[in-house]
Amino acid sequence: MVRGGMRTGDGRMAEGRAMDRVATIRDVAARAGVSIATVSRVLNGSGNATPETMEKVRAAASDLSFRPSTIGRNLKAARTRTVGVLVPSLTNPVFAESVAGIQDAAAEAGYSVLIASTDYDPGREVRAIEGLLSNRVEGLVLTVADADRSGSLDTLDEVRLPYVLAYNQPERVPRAHVSVDNVAASRAVVERMSALGHRRIGMIAGRFRQSDRSRRRHAGWLAALGDAGLPPGPVVEVDFNETRLAHRLAPFLEGPERPTAFFASNDMLALATIRALRDLGLSVPDDVSVCGFDGIEVGRLMAPSLATLVQPARAMGATAFECLRTGFSGELQGRAVMLPFTLRPGESLGPAPSTSSQALSERRHTQS
Amino acid sequence: MVRGGMRTGDGRMAEGRAMDRVATIRDVAARAGVSIATVSRVLNGSGNATPETMEKVRAAASDLSFRPSTIGRNLKAARTRTVGVLVPSLTNPVFAESVAGIQDAAAEAGYSVLIASTDYDPGREVRAIEGLLSNRVEGLVLTVADADRSGSLDTLDEVRLPYVLAYNQPERVPRAHVSVDNVAASRAVVERMSALGHRRIGMIAGRFRQSDRSRRRHAGWLAALGDAGLPPGPVVEVDFNETRLAHRLAPFLEGPERPTAFFASNDMLALATIRALRDLGLSVPDDVSVCGFDGIEVGRLMAPSLATLVQPARAMGATAFECLRTGFSGELQGRAVMLPFTLRPGESLGPAPSTSSQALSERRHTQS
DNA sequence: TTGTAAGCGTTATCAA
DNA sequence: TTGATAACGCTTACAA
């Protein structure tokens, strides 16, 4: 075999060099001249052994760079110390952050993390769950589109595998979850907008039929508008991967009665909205304000910086994992954990334009 | 035990409900009234069986919602069909994207993905590698800080576990990797800047001692400046997590001889740079242009949109996985795959300001 | 076509 | 203190 070449015909992962068989506990035992039981005991610190024996075993293990196989260990122990994670997408910063939080907490507790993402594809979601179940994860932290109507969650219920939802806030089915109070959070956004003088407030949201979060946030938006005595502005429902929004927004932006602020049900949508407004020749926030929901970090870096309702994403993941691991302390009512949210001010959310300044801005933009 | 309460004293993952033992192949065999060998054969489609037997087995498996344990399977097969992934951070979109690419390719090939992230912490990196090795991953796709000086890679070499680097481009040690040609890519950026009239071009880069990518990109920047007959502008080395750059940049932005363009060695740095310039009262791109490196998607959405050298992140991950799985076809020289890059134009990179327009912009900004 | 049995790498029980 | 051995869930010769 050529150097650098690899045999692949055996279906195994290609090997840069011939990979010699990994050392097993038996190899260590042979080299140390003891039984495998002794090796196990020494390496695990269970049971006693004479100093010399311990030394022999450790030396042998070290020589062979022996690492106990978690497979063998798992098989024996009937547990894997592995947690499954399922997210719609790793490329949405809010999920990436929460996964990072799960990783932190899991590593701390000595758990491995098996990650799968669905890219909003139901078929992939089913296969991912199957894979995680076959891998005998001890529990799952996951975010689904709609926690009230999810085949995956039904499956988990059937096989009685513990799970904790992150971000989801189911309305009908009582399911363990960690989230913020989406309704209250959305109200906070609208109240701020109202305090800034906005009277015509629209909403850009993910499909209500597909997302419990979107529904909740819409409900909060609606309720707050009602409380403030404001009429609901236009609602634009968009699909998950829709990034070009200009043609969707254009119809609502004509005439003097157009909204002066938009609440986007998540930050990616907020970014797309700002982009679209800009493409339509409107200034953010001079003409129209925008506030997002999630609190992704890049929002702080862009210009205008993104005003957003901040969810503690990292804590969301870490907390969900901890809930899974330790169990909720209370009973049923304790099966939900609400994390605190904050409103992060940003340049994208400013005071409502007065009629005169609005006209001014209008002139400025038609010039260019 | 209370409903919703969970036992945790046994050290197991908390259970929302009593989790009955998962069905094994023996349970299925018993229920179907056949031997476990028959169950295995039927479910794997290996060997023959009468239609009735197959039916019985499938029914029993379905009734018990039996899913073959990959643990038992792996142990027997002495292979895991699992690939390890190690990235510095899941929250940097460029890594998140490449992980997504790995996931895609792995799922396609029937592999599971075990992910660990280091958060640029060497201690965590060591532990992560240990964990992946213990889990008997068949190979690794990973991105390290400096592929020329990495204890983790040395470990992998020692145990002869196949791996492919993603993004890294080692200079001295020949190691399998998938990347873009960082030097050529950086040259392309500088050439574009030069073509736009920029004569004083600075660089914001990650620490050279810590990052092979940073070194390569700096080399390309330097070479291109030389070719264009331009003097090297200021170089600002920053740490991984540094996001506040204003005070670092300020000293270089005084006087008429200040740079009119900055090349940032990655997109997160580019965003931080734009932010800092803005904080310093400078307009991007009217006063100073900025171009990043990576091609993260959010760059398109912000305003000004980010000009950047696009690496095919998703393909980077997918290709690295494929290289790992199938092996590089050639010999040693084939152990590197170079992916194509493109320069994505963006509003952050414009023509160099003329002296008069520069003064104008100066006035405009001191007003506000 | 189907069943018996060995073995994968551990840990744990029980003897010695 | 140490060793022989069974067991975990599965696949796969080999035998019936």
Side-chain angles (χ1 to χ4, degrees):
Chain A
M1 181 179 303
V2 230
R3 210 159 64 102
M6 355 224 141
R7 39 192 172 87
T8 63
D10 58 0
R12 269 190 180 62
M13 190 144 271
E15 288 148 34
R17 302 122 291 200
M19 178 169 73
D20 12 52
R21 200 175 54 79
V22 174
T24 76
I25 197 173
R26 242 171 287 272
D27 301 323
V28 178
R31 190 170 228 269
V34 298
S35 74
I36 61 169
T38 301
V39 175
S40 177
R41 276 189 299 254
V42 170
L43 264 27
N44 291 310
S46 55
N48 297 351
T50 62
E52 309 96 85
T53 312
M54 288 174 57
E55 189 42 47
K56 276 191 302 183
V57 170
R58 279 196 233 287
S62 170
D63 290 351
L64 301 171
S65 39
F66 168 70
R67 278 165 248 268
S69 161
T70 55
I71 307 175
R73 188 171 283 185
N74 290 342
L75 186 55
K76 176 61 185 169
R79 56 175 316 208
T80 57
R81 281 200 164 272
T82 297
V83 61
V85 172
L86 187 77
V87 289
S89 154
L90 238 22
T91 56
N92 185 329
V94 76
F95 297 129
E97 275 278 344
S98 95
V99 170
I102 297 171
Q103 299 254 32
D104 288 347
E108 178 75 19
Y111 274 76
S112 295
V113 180
L114 210 43
I115 300 181
S117 62
T118 65
D119 273 311
Y120 303 96
D121 173 347
R124 269 186 71 152
E125 182 170 317
V126 172
R127 285 194 300 276
I129 292 276
E130 289 300 318
L132 294 172
L133 288 176
S134 288
N135 274 289
R136 296 295 188 264
V137 294
E138 293 185 23
L140 262 78
V141 175
L142 72 174
T143 303
V144 298
D146 188 340
D148 284 310
R149 182 174 33 233
S150 162
S152 296
L153 296 182
D154 294 340
T155 302
L156 294 179
D157 286 334
E158 266 170 43
V159 303
R160 323 202 111 191
L161 188 71
Y163 64 87
V164 176
L165 294 161
Y167 294 111
N168 290 113
Q169 202 184 353
E171 293 172 290
R172 301 146 191 268
V173 194
R175 287 173 153 151
H177 64 281
V178 177
S179 71
V180 298
D181 181 334
N182 284 288
V183 171
S186 297
R187 295 184 81 114
V189 172
V190 174
E191 281 159 16
R192 167 66 65 90
M193 287 175 166
S194 170
L196 285 168
H198 294 279
R199 293 292 170 264
R200 296 183 302 280
I201 302 174
M203 179 160 189
I204 321 284
R207 299 268 173 213
F208 299 137
R209 292 199 45 191
Q210 295 172 9
S211 164
D212 53 78
R213 283 157 286 164
S214 197
R215 283 199 300 274
R216 290 263 190 174
R217 292 168 194 173
H218 176 255
W221 170 82
L222 206 54
L225 287 177
D227 289 357
L230 299 176
V235 175
V236 183
E237 276 186 76
V238 305
D239 287 317
F240 285 123
N241 299 317
E242 217 167 332
T243 51
R244 293 248 157 267
L245 297 185
H247 69 285
R248 300 290 309 279
L249 296 186
F252 303 105
L253 292 168
E254 293 157 3
E257 286 303 299
R258 70 178 181 216
T260 60
F262 279 107
F263 170 39
S265 73
N266 67 60
D267 278 353
M268 297 310 273
L269 240 36
L271 297 190
T273 300
I274 291 175
R275 184 78 232 168
L277 291 170
R278 216 159 161 278
D279 291 346
L280 294 169
L282 292 167
S283 161
V284 175
D286 293 340
D287 297 317
V288 183
S289 282
V290 174
C291 183
F293 197 117
D294 278 346
I296 63 178
E297 279 302 310
V298 284
R300 318 176 88 120
L301 294 174
M302 39 185 292
S305 61
L306 180 66
T308 179
L309 195 294
V310 183
Q311 307 191 72
R314 211 151 176 128
M316 188 82 77
T319 305
F321 174 82
E322 280 309 319
C323 288
L324 194 58
R325 194 176 68 83
T326 64
F328 297 98
S329 47
E331 323 217 337
L332 261 185
Q333 86 277 7
R335 308 191 99 253
V337 172
M338 290 296 174
L339 262 29
F341 55 82
T342 59
L343 192 51
R344 182 196 295 160
E347 294 155 352
S348 69
L349 174 54
S354 65
T355 311
S356 59
S357 73
Q358 193 174 340
L360 195 71
S361 162
E362 203 86 57
R363 204 171 52 244
R364 180 159 62 87
H365 278 84
T366 44
Q367 280 178 345
S368 64
Chain B
M1 181 178 301
V2 229
R3 208 158 68 104
M6 357 225 141
R7 37 193 173 87
T8 63
D10 58 0
R12 269 191 178 63
M13 191 145 270
E15 289 148 33
R17 301 122 292 200
M19 179 169 70
D20 13 51
R21 202 174 54 80
V22 175
T24 76
I25 197 173
R26 242 171 287 273
D27 301 325
V28 178
R31 188 170 232 267
V34 299
S35 74
I36 60 171
T38 301
V39 174
S40 176
R41 277 189 297 254
V42 169
L43 262 29
N44 291 310
S46 56
N48 296 353
T50 62
E52 309 95 87
T53 310
M54 289 174 57
E55 189 42 48
K56 274 191 303 183
V57 170
R58 280 198 232 286
S62 169
D63 290 351
L64 300 170
S65 37
F66 169 70
R67 277 165 249 266
S69 161
T70 56
I71 307 175
R73 183 173 286 181
N74 290 342
L75 189 54
K76 176 63 185 171
R79 56 177 315 211
T80 57
R81 282 201 164 273
T82 298
V83 60
V85 173
L86 186 76
V87 289
S89 155
L90 237 25
T91 57
N92 184 329
V94 75
F95 297 129
E97 276 278 345
S98 97
V99 170
I102 297 171
Q103 299 254 31
D104 288 347
E108 179 74 19
Y111 275 76
S112 293
V113 179
L114 211 43
I115 300 181
S117 63
T118 66
D119 273 310
Y120 302 97
D121 173 346
R124 268 186 71 151
E125 182 169 317
V126 172
R127 285 195 298 278
I129 293 276
E130 288 300 319
L132 294 171
L133 288 175
S134 288
N135 274 287
R136 295 297 187 265
V137 295
E138 293 185 25
L140 260 78
V141 174
L142 72 174
T143 302
V144 298
D146 187 340
D148 285 310
R149 181 174 34 232
S150 163
S152 296
L153 295 182
D154 295 339
T155 302
L156 295 179
D157 285 335
E158 267 170 42
V159 303
R160 324 205 108 189
L161 188 71
Y163 63 87
V164 176
L165 295 161
Y167 294 112
N168 290 112
Q169 203 183 353
E171 293 172 290
R172 303 147 190 266
V173 194
R175 286 174 153 150
H177 64 280
V178 177
S179 71
V180 298
D181 180 336
N182 284 288
V183 172
S186 297
R187 295 185 81 112
V189 171
V190 174
E191 282 159 15
R192 167 66 64 88
M193 287 175 166
S194 169
L196 285 167
H198 294 279
R199 292 294 170 262
R200 297 184 300 281
I201 301 175
M203 180 160 188
I204 321 285
R207 300 268 173 213
F208 299 137
R209 292 198 46 192
Q210 296 172 9
S211 165
D212 54 77
R213 282 156 287 163
S214 198
R215 282 199 300 275
R216 291 263 189 172
R217 291 169 194 172
H218 176 256
W221 170 83
L222 205 54
L225 287 177
D227 288 357
L230 299 176
V235 175
V236 183
E237 278 187 74
V238 304
D239 287 318
F240 285 123
N241 299 317
E242 217 167 331
T243 51
R244 292 248 158 266
L245 296 186
H247 68 286
R248 300 290 309 278
L249 297 186
F252 303 104
L253 293 168
E254 291 158 5
E257 287 303 298
R258 69 179 182 216
T260 60
F262 279 107
F263 170 38
S265 73
N266 68 61
D267 279 353
M268 297 311 273
L269 239 37
L271 297 190
T273 300
I274 292 175
R275 184 77 232 170
L277 292 170
R278 214 159 163 280
D279 290 346
L280 293 169
L282 292 166
S283 162
V284 175
D286 292 340
D287 299 316
V288 183
S289 281
V290 174
C291 184
F293 197 118
D294 277 346
I296 63 178
E297 279 302 310
V298 283
R300 320 177 86 122
L301 293 174
M302 37 184 295
S305 61
L306 180 67
T308 179
L309 194 296
V310 183
Q311 307 191 73
R314 209 147 178 133
M316 188 83 76
T319 306
F321 174 82
E322 280 309 319
C323 288
L324 193 59
R325 194 175 69 84
T326 64
F328 297 98
S329 46
E331 323 217 337
L332 260 186
Q333 84 277 8
R335 309 191 95 250
V337 173
M338 290 297 172
L339 262 28
F341 56 82
T342 59
L343 191 53
R344 181 196 296 160
E347 294 154 353
S348 68
L349 173 54
S354 65
T355 311
S356 59
S357 73
Q358 194 174 337
L360 194 73
S361 162
E362 205 85 56
R363 203 173 53 245
R364 180 157 63 87
H365 279 84
T366 44
Q367 279 179 347
S368 65

